[in-house]
Amino acid sequence: VISINQPNELSKMAGNPLYGIMWIIVLAVAWPVAGLLAGVWIVLQPFEACFSCAKDCSDFFEGWVTWPRSCGKAINSCSTSCPKP
């Protein structure tokens, strides 16, 4: 149910649904990639305090692990820009 007090919901629904479908396809790739890299990311977490390069690597892997969240936001808004890992 869409209430009259929320005009942003109407504009969000007015986006091109083809972009939403395209980001669903990207999400099908993002989930397995995030799943594979999550293990490496978790292993690097304790070493961030010891090695500065571990922090850089961990940040890089965190971007890939959270990529499905960005894809979900793009699906919801039918965004025209590609979600970045």
Side-chain angles (χ1 to χ4, degrees), residues 37 40-41 44 48 53-66 85:
L37 295 178
V40 176
W41 179 61
L44 284 175
E48 284 186 4
C53 65
K55 173 71 173 145
D56 297 334
C57 292
S58 179
D59 290 343
F60 173 76
F61 286 120
E62 183 179 7
W64 285 95
V65 169
T66 58

Side-chain angles (χ1 to χ4, degrees), residues 11 20 23 25-26 29-30 36 39 41-42 46 50 60 62 64 66 69 73 75 80-81:
S11 64
W23 302 138
I25 294 168
V26 171
V29 173
L36 291 172
W41 179 61
I42 291 169
C50 302
F60 173 76
E62 183 179 7
W64 285 95
T66 58
R69 179 180 11 165
K73 289 177 183 178
I75 292 167
T80 59
S81 61

Side-chain angles (χ1 to χ4, degrees), residues 1-78:
V1 177
I2 298 172
S3 69
I4 298 172
N5 296 334
Q6 297 176 344
N8 292 339
E9 293 296 323
L10 290 174
S11 64
K12 186 189 307 184
M13 290 174 46
N16 190 346
L18 291 178
Y19 284 111
I21 294 168
M22 186 168 58
W23 302 138
I24 290 173
I25 294 168
V26 171
L27 182 63
V29 173
W31 265 334
V33 169
L36 291 172
L37 295 178
V40 176
W41 179 61
I42 291 169
V43 169
L44 284 175
Q45 293 296 310
F47 300 105
E48 284 186 4
C50 302
F51 306 107
S52 61
C53 65
K55 173 71 173 145
D56 297 334
C57 292
S58 179
D59 290 343
F60 173 76
F61 286 120
E62 183 179 7
W64 285 95
V65 169
T66 58
W67 188 28
R69 179 180 11 165
S70 301
C71 291
K73 289 177 183 178
I75 292 167
N76 185 34
S77 65
C78 294

